[in-house]
C-alpha cells in the first residue's frame, strides 16, 4: 500500500502540475485538455477514482498520514496561491489582529455556531508535523496546531442528510473580472479524520497571513490544494448543485478532480 501511495503522489503531482502550467498559456488550451473524454482528463479521473476506492476500502477511516519529527522541518512553510487577501472585510480583520474574527459553522446542522479565534484556541487541540504536497511539484514539512474539525462537528451536530463540509474563504481567486470566491470541500468521513484540523498555529507561532491566517484547514491525506486558507465559514451540505459551478471547489470548477487523496 505504501508503494501505491508513492506512485499515486508522483502521478498526480506531475499530471496536475502539467495542467496548472497550461492555465498560464490560456483558457482555451486549458479547457480543451479538460474537456470530457480527453486522455489527460480521463487519466486524472481514473487516478482519483482508484485512490478514493483504495483509501475507503483498504486504509480505513482513521489511518494517519505520515508524521515527522520537528528536526525534519528544514525551512519555513512555503506560501502559495493567495498570500495577502485584499477584500475589505478581510483587511479590516487583519488590521485589528483578528480580534473580531468569527468562524461561522452552519448549513445542515442542528445547532449552528460561530467561533471567535480565542474560542478556537481554547478548545482541545492537536499538533502534528506533516508534509504538504503541492500539485506544482514541491513538498514542505511544517508543524501545525489547531482544533480537530471533528470536535466542531460534534458541537453543531450534522443532520442525517449532511454529506460534505464546504470551506468558504475570504479571498477571491483568478484575478480581474474572472475572480471568484475561493472555496473547498471534503466528505464528512474525511472531515472527521483525526488529522483534519482547523489550524491557527504553525511552527510554534500564530499562523501567518501569507499561510492563511487566522485559520486554515489541514486535510493531511489529500493534496495541498484541498487545504483552504482564510476560512470565514464552514457550511454542511448534501450536494454541490447550488455552489458556484457545482463541482464542490474552486479548482474542481476549473477542471481539477474534486478528490485529491494521496
Amino acid at each position: 500500500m505504501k508503494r501505491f501511495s508513492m506512485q499515486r503522489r508522483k502521478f498526480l503531482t506531475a499530471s496536475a502540475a502539467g495542467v496548472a502550467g497550461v492555465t498560464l498559456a490560456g483558457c482555451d488550451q486549458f479547457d480543451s485538455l479538460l474537456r470530457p473524454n480527453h486522455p489527460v482528463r480521463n487519466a486524472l479521473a481514473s487516478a482519483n477514482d482508484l485512490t478514493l476506492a483504495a483509501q475507503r476500502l483498504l486504509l480505513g477511516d482513521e489511518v494517519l498520514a505520515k508524521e515527522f519529527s520537528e528536526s525534519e522541518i528544514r525551512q519555513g512553510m512555503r506560501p502559495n496561491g493567495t498570500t495577502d487577501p485584499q477584500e475589505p472585510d478581510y483587511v479590516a480583520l487583519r488590521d485589528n489582529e483578528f480580534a473580531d474574527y468569527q468562524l461561522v459553522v452552519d448549513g445542515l446542522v442542528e445547532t449552528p455556531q460561530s467561533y471567535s479565534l480565542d474560542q478556537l484556541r481554547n478548545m482541545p487541540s492537536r499538533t502534528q508535523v506533516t508534509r504538504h504536497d503541492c500539485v506544482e511539484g514541491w513538498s514542505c514539512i511544517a508543524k501545525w496546531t489547531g482544533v480537530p474539525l471533528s470536535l466542531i462537528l460534534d458541537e453543531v451536530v450534522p443532520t442525517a442528510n449532511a454529506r460534505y463540509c464546504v470551506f468558504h474563504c475570504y479571498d477571491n481567486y483568478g484575478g480581474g473580472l474572472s475572480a471568484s470566491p475561493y472555496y473547498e470541500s471534503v466528505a464528512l468521513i474525511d472531515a472527521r479524520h483525526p488529522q483534519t484540523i482547523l489550524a491557527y498555529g504553525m511552527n510554534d507561532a500564530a499562523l501567518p497571513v501569507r499561510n492563511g491566517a487566522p485559520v486554515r484547514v489541514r486535510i493531511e491525506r489529500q493534496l495541498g490544494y484541498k487545504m483552504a486558507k482564510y476560512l470565514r465559514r464552514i457550511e454542511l451540505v448534501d450536494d454541490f448543485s447550488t455552489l458556484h459551478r457545482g463541482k464542490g471547489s474552486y479548482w474542481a470548477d476549473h477542471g481539477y478532480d474534486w478528490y485529491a487523496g494521496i
Side-chain angles (χ1 to χ4, degrees):
M1 198 63 210
K2 181 179 180 181
R3 182 181 178 185
F4 165 79
S5 179
M6 291 299 296
Q7 291 173 336
R8 154 75 183 184
R9 178 179 291 112
K10 291 177 181 178
F11 173 79
L12 268 192
T13 52
S15 300
V19 172
V22 172
T23 66
L24 301 179
C27 293
D28 291 342
Q29 188 177 0
F30 176 62
D31 289 342
S32 67
L33 267 179
L34 295 173
R35 69 179 186 270
N37 298 319
H38 190 284
V40 171
R41 179 66 180 82
N42 290 345
L44 287 171
S46 297
N48 275 274
D49 291 344
L50 176 61
T51 302
L52 177 57
Q55 287 195 344
R56 294 289 187 259
L57 293 175
L58 300 179
L59 295 184
D61 297 351
E62 296 190 356
V63 172
L64 302 181
K66 182 178 179 179
E67 298 192 14
F68 299 81
S69 68
E70 292 189 44
S71 65
E72 294 175 275
I73 301 173
R74 307 292 168 80
Q75 62 189 70
M77 179 63 193
R78 176 175 172 174
N80 67 313
T82 303
T83 58
D84 188 18
Q86 293 302 303
E87 287 65 37
D89 49 356
Y90 180 82
V91 170
L93 289 171
R94 183 198 64 199
D95 289 349
N96 196 30
E97 298 183 343
F98 302 108
D100 299 321
Y101 175 75
Q102 292 287 322
L103 176 64
V104 174
V105 186
D106 61 4
L108 298 178
V109 300
E110 294 182 7
T111 311
Q113 300 283 352
S114 181
Y115 298 89
S116 69
L117 188 55
D118 282 342
Q119 285 176 309
L120 293 173
R121 287 171 172 165
N122 286 322
M123 294 181 71
S125 65
R126 177 184 174 91
T127 296
Q128 56 204 31
V129 180
T130 54
R131 187 176 66 204
H132 183 104
D133 291 303
C134 181
V135 298
E136 296 172 351
W138 57 267
S139 297
C140 193
I141 295 173
K143 181 180 181 180
W144 304 96
T145 299
V147 182
L149 182 51
S150 61
L151 297 183
I152 300 292
L153 295 176
D154 288 343
E155 289 198 353
V156 300
V157 189
T159 61
N161 56 332
R163 297 180 60 197
Y164 307 102
C165 283
V166 179
F167 306 104
H168 299 279
C169 305
Y170 277 101
D171 57 324
N172 289 328
Y173 210 78
L177 296 176
S178 63
S180 60
Y182 195 88
Y183 77 110
E184 257 300 344
S185 63
V186 293
L188 277 180
I189 189 174
D190 297 309
R192 287 192 174 278
H193 186 270
Q195 289 172 312
T196 299
I197 64 173
L198 303 180
Y200 49 73
M202 187 188 78
N203 294 341
D204 295 319
L207 184 66
V209 167
R210 67 182 181 274
N211 296 112
V215 177
R216 71 177 296 168
V217 65
R218 295 295 305 175
I219 308 167
E220 303 298 352
R221 295 204 306 183
Q222 300 201 23
L223 288 170
Y225 69 82
K226 298 296 290 186
M227 305 190 201
K229 302 180 293 186
Y230 312 112
L231 294 187
R232 69 185 307 162
R233 178 187 176 207
I234 300 175
E235 179 186 13
L236 274 69
V237 302
D238 56 355
D239 64 44
F240 305 132
S241 59
T242 62
L243 297 171
H244 304 285
R245 298 186 185 181
K247 302 295 185 180
S249 76
Y250 174 88
W251 286 113
D253 284 344
H254 290 80
Y256 282 70
D257 284 286
W258 172 77
Y259 184 72
I262 53 177

